[in-house]
CSV table of all heavy atoms in Angstrom, one decimal:
chain,number,residue,atom,x,y,z
K,1,GLN,N,103.9,109.1,99.6
K,1,GLN,CA,103.8,108.0,100.5
K,1,GLN,C,102.8,107.9,101.5
K,1,GLN,O,102.3,107.1,101.9
K,1,GLN,CB,105.3,107.9,101.2
K,1,GLN,CG,106.4,107.4,100.3
K,1,GLN,CD,107.8,107.9,100.6
K,1,GLN,OE1,107.9,108.7,101.7
K,1,GLN,NE2,108.7,107.6,99.8
K,2,TRP,N,102.3,109.2,101.9
K,2,TRP,CA,101.3,109.4,102.8
K,2,TRP,C,100.0,108.9,102.2
K,2,TRP,O,99.1,108.3,102.7
K,2,TRP,CB,101.2,110.7,103.4
K,2,TRP,CG,100.0,110.9,104.4
K,2,TRP,CD1,99.9,110.6,105.7
K,2,TRP,CD2,98.8,111.6,104.0
K,2,TRP,NE1,98.8,111.0,106.2
K,2,TRP,CE2,98.0,111.6,105.2
K,2,TRP,CE3,98.2,112.2,102.9
K,2,TRP,CZ2,96.7,112.1,105.3
K,2,TRP,CZ3,97.0,112.8,102.9
K,2,TRP,CH2,96.2,112.8,104.0
K,3,LEU,N,99.8,109.3,100.9
K,3,LEU,CA,98.5,109.1,100.3
K,3,LEU,C,98.5,107.5,99.9
K,3,LEU,O,97.5,107.0,100.0
K,3,LEU,CB,98.5,109.9,99.0
K,3,LEU,CG,98.3,111.3,99.1
K,3,LEU,CD1,98.6,112.1,97.8
K,3,LEU,CD2,97.0,111.7,99.6
K,4,GLY,N,99.7,107.0,99.6
K,4,GLY,CA,99.7,105.6,99.2
K,4,GLY,C,99.4,104.6,100.4
K,4,GLY,O,98.7,103.7,100.3
K,5,ILE,N,100.0,105.0,101.5
K,5,ILE,CA,99.7,104.1,102.8
K,5,ILE,C,98.3,104.2,103.0
K,5,ILE,O,97.6,103.1,103.6
K,5,ILE,CB,100.6,104.7,103.9
K,5,ILE,CG1,102.1,104.4,103.7
K,5,ILE,CG2,100.1,104.2,105.2
K,5,ILE,CD1,102.3,102.8,103.8
K,6,ASN,N,97.7,105.3,102.8
K,6,ASN,CA,96.2,105.4,103.2
K,6,ASN,C,95.3,104.9,102.0
K,6,ASN,O,94.2,105.2,102.0
K,6,ASN,CB,95.9,106.7,103.5
K,6,ASN,CG,96.4,107.2,104.9
K,6,ASN,OD1,95.9,106.9,106.0
K,6,ASN,ND2,97.6,107.9,104.9
K,7,ASP,N,95.8,104.3,101.0
K,7,ASP,CA,95.1,103.7,99.9
K,7,ASP,C,94.3,104.8,99.2
K,7,ASP,O,93.2,104.6,98.8
K,7,ASP,CB,94.2,102.5,100.3
K,7,ASP,CG,93.7,101.7,99.3
K,7,ASP,OD1,94.5,101.8,98.1
K,7,ASP,OD2,92.8,101.0,99.3
K,8,LEU,N,94.8,106.0,99.0
K,8,LEU,CA,94.2,107.1,98.3
K,8,LEU,C,94.6,107.3,96.9
K,8,LEU,O,94.1,108.2,96.3
K,8,LEU,CB,94.3,108.3,99.1
K,8,LEU,CG,93.8,108.4,100.6
K,8,LEU,CD1,94.1,109.7,101.3
K,8,LEU,CD2,92.3,108.2,100.6
K,9,LEU,N,95.5,106.6,96.5
K,9,LEU,CA,95.8,106.6,95.1
K,9,LEU,C,95.5,105.7,94.1
K,9,LEU,O,95.9,105.7,92.8
K,9,LEU,CB,97.4,106.6,95.0
K,9,LEU,CG,98.1,107.9,95.7
K,9,LEU,CD1,99.7,107.7,95.7
K,9,LEU,CD2,97.8,109.2,95.0
K,10,GLY,N,94.6,104.7,94.5
K,10,GLY,CA,94.1,103.6,93.7
K,10,GLY,C,95.2,102.7,93.1
K,10,GLY,O,96.3,102.3,93.6
K,11,GLY,N,95.2,102.6,91.8
K,11,GLY,CA,96.2,101.7,91.0
K,11,GLY,C,97.5,102.6,90.8
K,11,GLY,O,98.4,102.0,90.3
K,12,TRP,N,97.7,103.8,91.1
K,12,TRP,CA,98.7,104.7,91.1
K,12,TRP,C,99.8,104.6,92.3
K,12,TRP,O,100.7,105.2,92.2
K,12,TRP,CB,98.5,106.0,90.8
K,12,TRP,CG,97.8,106.3,89.5
K,12,TRP,CD1,96.5,106.4,89.1
K,12,TRP,CD2,98.6,106.4,88.1
K,12,TRP,NE1,96.3,106.5,87.7
K,12,TRP,CE2,97.5,106.6,87.2
K,12,TRP,CE3,100.0,106.5,87.8
K,12,TRP,CZ2,97.9,106.6,85.8
K,12,TRP,CZ3,100.2,106.6,86.5
K,12,TRP,CH2,99.2,106.8,85.5
K,13,TRP,N,99.4,103.8,93.2
K,13,TRP,CA,100.1,103.7,94.5
K,13,TRP,C,101.7,103.4,94.2
K,13,TRP,O,102.6,104.0,94.8
K,13,TRP,CB,99.5,102.7,95.5
K,13,TRP,CG,99.6,101.2,94.9
K,13,TRP,CD1,98.6,100.6,94.2
K,13,TRP,CD2,100.7,100.2,95.1
K,13,TRP,NE1,99.1,99.3,93.9
K,13,TRP,CE2,100.2,99.1,94.5
K,13,TRP,CE3,101.9,100.2,95.7
K,13,TRP,CZ2,101.1,97.9,94.5
K,13,TRP,CZ3,102.7,99.1,95.8
K,13,TRP,CH2,102.2,98.0,95.1
K,14,PHE,N,101.9,102.5,93.3
K,14,PHE,CA,103.3,102.1,93.0
K,14,PHE,C,104.1,103.4,92.4
K,14,PHE,O,105.3,103.5,92.6
K,14,PHE,CB,103.3,100.9,92.2
K,14,PHE,CG,104.8,100.4,91.9
K,14,PHE,CD1,105.4,99.6,92.8
K,14,PHE,CD2,105.4,100.6,90.7
K,14,PHE,CE1,106.7,99.1,92.5
K,14,PHE,CE2,106.6,100.1,90.4
K,14,PHE,CZ,107.2,99.4,91.3
K,15,TRP,N,103.5,104.1,91.4
K,15,TRP,CA,104.2,105.0,90.7
K,15,TRP,C,104.2,106.4,91.5
K,15,TRP,O,105.2,107.1,91.4
K,15,TRP,CB,103.4,105.3,89.3
K,15,TRP,CG,103.7,104.3,88.4
K,15,TRP,CD1,103.1,103.1,88.3
K,15,TRP,CD2,104.7,104.3,87.6
K,15,TRP,NE1,103.8,102.2,87.2
K,15,TRP,CE2,104.8,102.9,86.8
K,15,TRP,CE3,105.8,105.1,87.3
K,15,TRP,CZ2,105.7,102.8,85.8
K,15,TRP,CZ3,106.8,104.8,86.2
K,15,TRP,CH2,106.7,103.6,85.5
K,16,LEU,N,103.1,106.8,92.1
K,16,LEU,CA,103.2,108.1,92.8
K,16,LEU,C,103.3,108.0,94.3
K,16,LEU,O,103.5,109.0,95.0
K,16,LEU,CB,101.8,108.9,92.3
K,16,LEU,CG,101.7,109.2,91.0
K,16,LEU,CD1,100.3,109.9,90.7
K,16,LEU,CD2,102.9,110.1,90.4
K,17,GLY,N,103.0,106.8,94.9
K,17,GLY,CA,102.9,106.7,96.3
K,17,GLY,C,104.1,106.0,97.0
K,17,GLY,O,105.3,106.5,97.0
K,18,ASN,N,103.8,104.8,97.4
K,18,ASN,CA,104.8,104.1,98.1
K,18,ASN,C,105.1,102.8,97.4
K,18,ASN,O,104.3,102.0,97.3
K,18,ASN,CB,104.4,103.9,99.6
K,18,ASN,CG,105.1,102.7,100.3
K,18,ASN,OD1,106.3,102.8,100.4
K,18,ASN,ND2,104.3,101.9,100.9
K,19,GLN,N,106.3,102.5,96.8
K,19,GLN,CA,106.6,101.2,96.4
K,19,GLN,C,106.5,100.1,97.2
K,19,GLN,O,106.3,98.9,97.0
K,19,GLN,CB,108.0,101.2,95.6
K,19,GLN,CG,108.0,102.0,94.3
K,19,GLN,CD,109.4,101.6,93.5
K,19,GLN,OE1,109.8,100.5,93.5
K,19,GLN,NE2,110.1,102.8,93.2
K,20,GLY,N,107.0,100.4,98.5
K,20,GLY,CA,106.7,99.4,99.7
K,20,GLY,C,108.0,98.7,99.9
K,20,GLY,O,108.1,98.0,100.9
K,21,TRP,N,109.1,98.8,99.1
K,21,TRP,CA,110.3,98.0,99.4
K,21,TRP,C,111.2,98.9,100.3
K,21,TRP,O,111.3,100.0,100.1
K,21,TRP,CB,111.1,97.8,98.0
K,21,TRP,CG,110.4,97.0,97.1
K,21,TRP,CD1,109.8,97.3,95.8
K,21,TRP,CD2,110.0,95.5,97.2
K,21,TRP,NE1,109.3,96.2,95.2
K,21,TRP,CE2,109.4,95.1,95.9
K,21,TRP,CE3,110.4,94.5,98.2
K,21,TRP,CZ2,109.0,93.8,95.8
K,21,TRP,CZ3,109.9,93.3,97.9
K,21,TRP,CH2,109.3,92.9,96.8
K,22,GLU,N,111.6,98.2,101.5
K,22,GLU,CA,112.4,98.9,102.4
K,22,GLU,C,113.6,99.5,101.9
K,22,GLU,O,114.3,99.1,101.1
K,22,GLU,CB,112.9,98.0,103.4
K,22,GLU,CG,113.6,98.7,104.6
K,22,GLU,CD,114.1,97.7,105.6
K,22,GLU,OE1,114.6,96.6,105.2
K,22,GLU,OE2,114.3,97.9,106.8
K,23,TYR,N,113.8,101.0,102.1
K,23,TYR,CA,114.8,101.8,101.6
K,23,TYR,C,114.4,102.4,100.2
K,23,TYR,O,115.0,103.3,99.9
K,23,TYR,CB,116.3,101.1,101.7
K,23,TYR,CG,116.6,100.9,103.0
K,23,TYR,CD1,116.8,99.6,103.5
K,23,TYR,CD2,117.1,101.8,103.9
K,23,TYR,CE1,117.2,99.2,104.7
K,23,TYR,CE2,117.5,101.6,105.2
K,23,TYR,CZ,117.7,100.2,105.7
K,23,TYR,OH,118.1,99.9,106.8
K,24,LEU,N,113.6,101.8,99.5
K,24,LEU,CA,113.3,102.1,98.2
K,24,LEU,C,111.8,102.4,98.0
K,24,LEU,O,111.0,102.1,97.1
K,24,LEU,CB,113.7,101.1,97.2
K,24,LEU,CG,115.2,100.8,97.1
K,24,LEU,CD1,115.5,99.7,96.2
K,24,LEU,CD2,115.9,102.1,96.7
K,25,GLU,N,111.3,103.0,99.3
K,25,GLU,CA,109.8,103.2,99.3
K,25,GLU,C,109.3,104.2,98.4
K,25,GLU,O,108.1,104.2,97.9
K,25,GLU,CB,109.3,103.5,100.7
K,25,GLU,CG,109.6,102.5,101.7
K,25,GLU,CD,110.9,102.5,102.4
K,25,GLU,OE1,111.8,103.3,101.9
K,25,GLU,OE2,111.0,101.8,103.4
K,26,ILE,N,110.1,105.2,97.9
K,26,ILE,CA,109.9,106.2,97.0
K,26,ILE,C,109.2,105.8,95.8
K,26,ILE,O,109.5,104.8,95.1
K,26,ILE,CB,111.2,107.0,96.7
K,26,ILE,CG1,110.8,108.3,95.8
K,26,ILE,CG2,112.2,106.1,96.0
K,26,ILE,CD1,112.0,109.1,95.6
K,27,GLY,N,108.0,106.3,95.3
K,27,GLY,CA,107.3,106.0,94.2
K,27,GLY,C,108.1,106.0,92.9
K,27,GLY,O,109.1,106.8,92.8
K,28,ARG,N,107.8,105.2,92.0
K,28,ARG,CA,108.7,105.1,90.8
K,28,ARG,C,108.7,106.4,90.0
K,28,ARG,O,109.9,106.6,89.5
K,28,ARG,CB,108.2,103.8,89.9
K,28,ARG,CG,108.8,103.6,88.7
K,28,ARG,CD,110.3,103.3,88.9
K,28,ARG,NE,110.4,102.1,89.9
K,28,ARG,CZ,110.5,100.8,89.4
K,28,ARG,NH1,110.5,100.5,88.2
K,28,ARG,NH2,110.8,99.9,90.4
K,29,PHE,N,107.8,107.0,89.9
K,29,PHE,CA,107.9,108.4,89.3
K,29,PHE,C,108.8,109.3,89.9
K,29,PHE,O,109.7,110.0,89.2
K,29,PHE,CB,106.5,109.2,89.3
K,29,PHE,CG,106.5,110.5,88.7
K,29,PHE,CD1,106.5,110.7,87.3
K,29,PHE,CD2,106.3,111.6,89.6
K,29,PHE,CE1,106.7,112.1,86.9
K,29,PHE,CE2,106.4,113.0,89.1
K,29,PHE,CZ,106.6,113.1,87.7
K,30,TRP,N,108.8,109.5,91.2
K,30,TRP,CA,109.7,110.2,92.0
K,30,TRP,C,111.2,109.7,92.0
K,30,TRP,O,112.2,110.4,91.9
K,30,TRP,CB,109.3,110.4,93.4
K,30,TRP,CG,107.9,110.9,93.5
K,30,TRP,CD1,106.8,110.2,94.0
K,30,TRP,CD2,107.4,112.2,93.2
K,30,TRP,NE1,105.7,111.0,93.9
K,30,TRP,CE2,105.9,112.2,93.4
K,30,TRP,CE3,108.0,113.3,92.9
K,30,TRP,CZ2,105.2,113.3,93.3
K,30,TRP,CZ3,107.2,114.4,92.5
K,30,TRP,CH2,105.8,114.5,92.8
K,31,GLN,N,111.2,108.3,91.8
K,31,GLN,CA,112.4,107.7,91.7
K,31,GLN,C,113.1,108.1,90.3
K,31,GLN,O,114.4,108.3,90.3
K,31,GLN,CB,112.3,106.2,91.8
K,31,GLN,CG,113.4,105.4,92.1
K,31,GLN,CD,113.0,103.9,92.3
K,31,GLN,OE1,112.4,103.3,91.5
K,31,GLN,NE2,113.5,103.3,93.5
K,32,ILE,N,112.4,108.1,89.3
K,32,ILE,CA,113.0,108.5,87.9
K,32,ILE,C,113.4,110.0,88.1
K,32,ILE,O,114.5,110.2,87.5
K,32,ILE,CB,111.9,108.4,86.9
K,32,ILE,CG1,111.4,106.9,86.7
K,32,ILE,CG2,112.3,108.9,85.6
K,32,ILE,CD1,110.4,106.6,85.8
K,33,LEU,N,112.8,110.9,88.6
K,33,LEU,CA,113.1,112.2,88.8
K,33,LEU,C,114.4,112.3,89.6
K,33,LEU,O,115.3,113.1,89.4
K,33,LEU,CB,112.1,113.0,89.4
K,33,LEU,CG,110.7,113.3,88.7
K,33,LEU,CD1,109.7,114.2,89.3
K,33,LEU,CD2,111.0,113.9,87.4
K,34,LEU,N,114.5,111.5,90.8
K,34,LEU,CA,115.7,111.5,91.5
K,34,LEU,C,116.8,111.1,90.7
K,34,LEU,O,118.0,111.7,90.7
K,34,LEU,CB,115.4,110.8,92.8
K,34,LEU,CG,116.7,110.4,93.7
K,34,LEU,CD1,117.1,111.8,94.3
K,34,LEU,CD2,116.2,109.4,94.9
K,35,ALA,N,116.8,109.9,90.0
K,35,ALA,CA,117.8,109.5,89.2
K,35,ALA,C,118.3,110.5,88.2
K,35,ALA,O,119.5,110.8,88.0
K,35,ALA,CB,117.5,108.1,88.5
K,36,ALA,N,117.4,111.1,87.5
K,36,ALA,CA,117.6,112.1,86.5
K,36,ALA,C,118.3,113.3,87.3
K,36,ALA,O,119.4,113.9,86.6
K,36,ALA,CB,116.3,112.7,85.9
K,37,GLY,N,117.8,113.7,88.4
K,37,GLY,CA,118.6,114.8,89.2
K,37,GLY,C,120.0,114.5,89.5
K,37,GLY,O,120.8,115.3,89.5
K,38,LEU,N,120.2,113.3,89.9
K,38,LEU,CA,121.6,112.7,90.1
K,38,LEU,C,122.6,112.9,89.0
K,38,LEU,O,123.6,113.2,89.0
K,38,LEU,CB,121.7,111.4,90.8
K,38,LEU,CG,121.1,111.5,92.2
K,38,LEU,CD1,121.0,109.8,92.6
K,38,LEU,CD2,121.8,112.2,93.3
K,39,PHE,N,122.1,112.4,87.8
K,39,PHE,CA,122.9,112.6,86.6
K,39,PHE,C,123.1,114.0,86.2
K,39,PHE,O,124.1,114.3,85.8
K,39,PHE,CB,122.1,111.7,85.5
K,39,PHE,CG,122.5,110.3,85.5
K,39,PHE,CD1,121.4,109.4,85.8
K,39,PHE,CD2,123.7,109.8,85.3
K,39,PHE,CE1,121.7,107.9,85.9
K,39,PHE,CE2,124.0,108.3,85.3
K,39,PHE,CZ,123.1,107.5,85.6
K,40,PHE,N,122.1,114.8,86.4
K,40,PHE,CA,122.1,116.2,86.2
K,40,PHE,C,123.3,116.8,87.2
K,40,PHE,O,124.1,117.7,86.7
K,40,PHE,CB,120.9,116.9,86.4
K,40,PHE,CG,120.9,118.4,86.2
K,40,PHE,CD1,121.2,118.9,84.9
K,40,PHE,CD2,120.6,119.4,87.1
K,40,PHE,CE1,121.2,120.4,84.7
K,40,PHE,CE2,120.6,120.7,87.0
K,40,PHE,CZ,121.0,121.2,85.8
K,41,TRP,N,123.3,116.4,88.3
K,41,TRP,CA,124.2,116.8,89.3
K,41,TRP,C,125.7,116.4,88.9
K,41,TRP,O,126.6,117.2,89.0
K,41,TRP,CB,123.9,116.2,90.8
K,41,TRP,CG,125.1,116.3,91.6
K,41,TRP,CD1,125.6,117.3,92.3
K,41,TRP,CD2,125.8,115.1,92.0
K,41,TRP,NE1,126.7,116.9,93.2
K,41,TRP,CE2,126.8,115.5,93.0
K,41,TRP,CE3,125.8,113.8,91.8
K,41,TRP,CZ2,127.8,114.8,93.6
K,41,TRP,CZ3,126.7,112.9,92.4
K,41,TRP,CH2,127.7,113.5,93.4
K,42,PHE,N,125.7,115.2,88.3
K,42,PHE,CA,127.2,114.8,87.9
K,42,PHE,C,127.6,115.7,86.8
K,42,PHE,O,128.7,116.0,86.6
K,42,PHE,CB,127.0,113.3,87.4
K,42,PHE,CG,128.3,112.8,86.8
K,42,PHE,CD1,129.5,112.7,87.4
K,42,PHE,CD2,128.3,112.7,85.3
K,42,PHE,CE1,130.6,112.2,86.7
K,42,PHE,CE2,129.4,112.4,84.7
K,42,PHE,CZ,130.6,112.2,85.4
K,43,TRP,N,126.6,116.1,85.8
K,43,TRP,CA,127.0,116.9,84.8
K,43,TRP,C,127.5,118.3,85.3
K,43,TRP,O,128.4,118.8,84.7
K,43,TRP,CB,125.8,117.1,83.9
K,43,TRP,CG,126.0,118.0,82.6
K,43,TRP,CD1,126.9,117.8,81.6
K,43,TRP,CD2,125.5,119.4,82.4
K,43,TRP,NE1,126.9,118.8,80.7
K,43,TRP,CE2,126.2,119.9,81.2
K,43,TRP,CE3,124.6,120.1,83.1
K,43,TRP,CZ2,125.8,121.1,80.7
K,43,TRP,CZ3,124.3,121.4,82.7
K,43,TRP,CH2,124.8,121.8,81.6
K,44,LEU,N,126.8,118.9,86.3
K,44,LEU,CA,127.3,120.0,86.8
K,44,LEU,C,128.6,119.9,87.4
K,44,LEU,O,129.5,120.8,87.4
K,44,LEU,CB,126.2,120.5,87.9
K,44,LEU,CG,124.9,120.9,87.4
K,44,LEU,CD1,124.0,121.4,88.7
K,44,LEU,CD2,124.9,122.1,86.4
K,45,VAL,N,129.0,118.8,88.1
K,45,VAL,CA,130.3,118.5,88.7
K,45,VAL,C,131.2,118.5,87.4
K,45,VAL,O,132.4,119.1,87.6
K,45,VAL,CB,130.3,117.2,89.4
K,45,VAL,CG1,131.8,116.9,89.8
K,45,VAL,CG2,129.4,117.5,90.8
K,46,LEU,N,131.0,117.8,86.5
K,46,LEU,CA,131.8,117.5,85.3
K,46,LEU,C,132.3,118.9,84.7
K,46,LEU,O,133.4,119.1,84.4
K,46,LEU,CB,131.2,116.7,84.3
K,46,LEU,CG,132.0,116.3,83.0
K,46,LEU,CD1,133.2,115.7,83.3
K,46,LEU,CD2,131.1,115.5,82.0
K,47,ARG,N,131.3,119.7,84.4
K,47,ARG,CA,131.5,120.9,83.8
K,47,ARG,C,132.3,121.9,84.7
K,47,ARG,O,133.1,122.7,84.2
K,47,ARG,CB,130.3,121.7,83.3
K,47,ARG,CG,129.3,122.1,84.3
K,47,ARG,CD,128.0,122.5,83.8
K,47,ARG,NE,128.0,123.4,82.7
K,47,ARG,CZ,127.7,124.7,82.7
K,47,ARG,NH1,127.6,125.2,83.9
K,47,ARG,NH2,127.7,125.5,81.7
K,48,ALA,N,132.2,121.8,85.9
K,48,ALA,CA,133.0,122.7,86.8
K,48,ALA,C,134.4,122.4,87.0
K,48,ALA,O,135.2,123.1,87.2
K,48,ALA,CB,132.3,122.7,88.2
């Protein structure tokens, strides 16, 4: 997000930097990892 705000990511700002939408500023790549992590967390809860 720091790199994206400062226009240092070029065309990758949306994926690796700052999407720009309030509360959902996290870049799309990190967003995918976060969603995957939450589903992984649910699987850990399920098996426990």
Side-chain angles (χ1 to χ4, degrees):
Q1 286 156 0
W2 179 76
L3 295 171
I5 285 289
N6 287 281
D7 200 17
L8 298 176
L9 293 175
W12 290 93
W13 63 271
F14 183 82
W15 282 90
L16 299 177
N18 163 50
Q19 284 192 48
W21 299 110
E22 187 191 26
Y23 295 108
L24 297 173
E25 293 92 348
I26 182 172
R28 182 56 56 89
F29 171 74
W30 307 109
Q31 199 173 51
I32 293 172
L33 292 183
L34 177 61
L38 289 174
F39 278 109
F40 180 62
W41 162 73
F42 171 74
W43 177 70
L44 293 179
V45 170
L46 175 63
R47 70 196 301 265

